[in-house]
Amino acid sequence: MTEPQPPRLLDRVRDTLRLKHMSLKTEKSYVYYIKEFILFHNKRHPREMGVEEIRAYLSHLAINKNVAASTQNVARNALLFLYKEVLQIALPFIDGIQPAKRPQRLPVVFTREEVQAILANLKGVHHLMASLLYGSGLRLTECLNLRVKDIDFGYQQIVIRDGKGHKDRITTLPKLTIEGLKLQLENARYLHQQDLAQGYGVVYLPYALEQKYPHANREWAWQFVFPANNRSKDPRSGIVRRHHIYPDSLQRAVKTAIRQAGITKHASCHTFRHSFATHLLEDGYDIRTVQELLGHKDVRTTMIYTHVLNRGGRGVRSPLDFQ
C-alpha cells in the first residue's frame, strides 16, 4: 500500500491561511505572490532560500515591475507568512529592500452637491448601499458583510463586525436610509424563506461560529442584509448557499452614476467614505468622534481629512481675488 503524498506547498499555505481565518481575498493574494517568488527564483523550494532571495524579489517588484508600495507590502507579508507560519523558519530582519515609491496623495472628496447628484443616478439596492457608504462612512466590504443583526433601528446605529484590523465598531445609521433598509430586509427575508423551503438557507459564518452555534447559519439574524440574487458554490467548502451581493455590481453602478453626474474626479465607492469624514469635520464634529466612527486605530490617519479642509482653494485665498 502506497503512503499518501504530503500536501503540496501552496496547499499547505491555503490550509494555514484558513486556520488563521484569513479572507479569501488575502488567500488569493498570498498564494499569488508566493508562487511568483518561487518562479522568480527558477522554481527553487523556499526552504533552500532565505533573506537574500526575499530581498531580491521585493526589490525586483519595485525596480522592474514598478508596483505600488501597498503591493510590495502585500508580497512581503505573504513571504513572511510563508516562512513563519507554514515552514516555521525564523528569519532575521530583512533590510536593504528597494522600497516602492509611496505617493503622498490627499483623498478625493465629493462635495455635498456631487454626492446628491451621484445618488440621484442610482436606483434600488445600489442607491441604498451607496447611501450607507456615505451616510455611515462604511467601507465597501463592511457594507457587503452587514448581517440582519447588525442593524439597530432602535438606537439608530450600525454595528460593524470584524472590520479592518479585525475590530468591531459602531457608526451612525442615517434616518433617510431606514425606510429603504426595512424594505430591503423584507426582500432578503423572502429570499431566505424561499431558500429554506428548497433545502438551502444556510449562510456562511466566520471563524468557528458554525461549531459554536450549529443552527445559527439558518437563523434570520445571521443572514446578509444585501444577499445575492442567485445561490452559488463556496469556493472553499463547495457548499451551495446564498452569499452577499458581488462587489463589482455596486462598483460598476457607482462608476456609471459618477459619469452620468458629469463628475470628472478620479473617484470610486471609497470616495463616499472620504466624503463622510470630511463633511463631518466641516460640520464641526470632534476629530476623535470621526476617528471612532471610521474605526481608525491612529488619529493621524483621520488627520488627513483636515488637510483636505485646509489646503488648496479651500484654505488659501487666491491673490487674483484681491484685484
Side-chain angles (χ1 to χ4, degrees), residues 241-258:
R241 53 192 169 197
R242 194 179 297 275
H243 204 55
H244 57 59
I245 290 176
Y246 200 64
D248 283 6
S249 171
L250 180 60
Q251 289 169 330
R252 286 195 299 267
V254 168
K255 283 287 186 183
T256 300
I258 291 171

Side-chain angles (χ1 to χ4, degrees), residues 274-287:
H274 294 322
S275 306
F276 166 82
T278 303
H279 296 167
L280 285 181
L281 291 171
E282 283 180 344
D283 290 339
Y285 284 96
D286 179 78
I287 194 165

Side-chain angles (χ1 to χ4, degrees), residues 110 113-123 126-127 250-265 267:
F110 295 129
E113 293 74 21
E114 287 171 338
V115 170
Q116 296 306 317
I118 296 167
L119 292 178
N121 284 292
L122 291 168
K123 296 180 181 179
H126 292 144
H127 180 278
L250 180 60
Q251 289 169 330
R252 286 195 299 267
V254 168
K255 283 287 186 183
T256 300
I258 291 171
R259 185 173 63 252
Q260 290 174 340
I263 297 168
T264 57
K265 294 176 178 178

Side-chain angles (χ1 to χ4, degrees), residues 223-235:
Q223 304 303 308
F224 289 113
V225 174
F226 299 106
N229 290 329
N230 301 306
R231 294 186 291 265
S232 59
K233 183 182 290 187
D234 188 299

